[in-house]
Amino acid sequence: MKMNSFKFQGNGLGRFFGPLEAKVMEAIWSLEKPSTIKEVNTVVSEDKPMSFNTIMTVMNRLVDKGVLQKKLQSKSYVYCAVLSKERFLEEQSKELSYDLVKEFGSLAVTHMLDAMEQVDPDLLKQLERQIEQWKKDR
């Protein structure tokens, strides 16, 4: 599943979703079961009360985007994430990495290495181990 937009100014899920979409997705993932709009609205509204209709609109847009699934269950619809949060972030970061390397080549790789060193020097060691394993497996 490839999201159509990535926001460089965003943070976490905000890089892939609007602010309310990100809150809805966090709520869906936190509930860990197919959930109604009312259940999601209860979680999202803990910080700031939200309209049922607003949450319904956002959730149906997320269905249209292919991020949520909607199923009829006992006269009401329940929604669940297509992917777990971990799997979603893994797929998005993989797609983003491929796109960056495809578009910018060695520049992207060099900048990723620089970023790894600045963020966590142990990441470079982990990368070295992964490269060695990759070489063995080929």
Side-chain angles (χ1 to χ4, degrees), residues 1-2 90-100:
M1 161 189 327
K2 185 172 181 173
E90 180 183 332
E91 285 196 11
Q92 296 310 307
S93 63
K94 186 176 187 178
E95 287 290 335
L96 180 59
S97 297
Y98 285 148
D99 288 349
L100 287 171

Side-chain angles (χ1 to χ4, degrees), residues 5 9 35 47 54 58 72 82 86 88 91 96 108 113 131:
S5 63
Q9 279 22 2
S35 305
D47 295 333
T54 299
V58 170
L72 188 58
V82 171
E86 295 75 22
F88 174 82
E91 285 196 11
L96 180 59
L113 290 172
I131 290 171

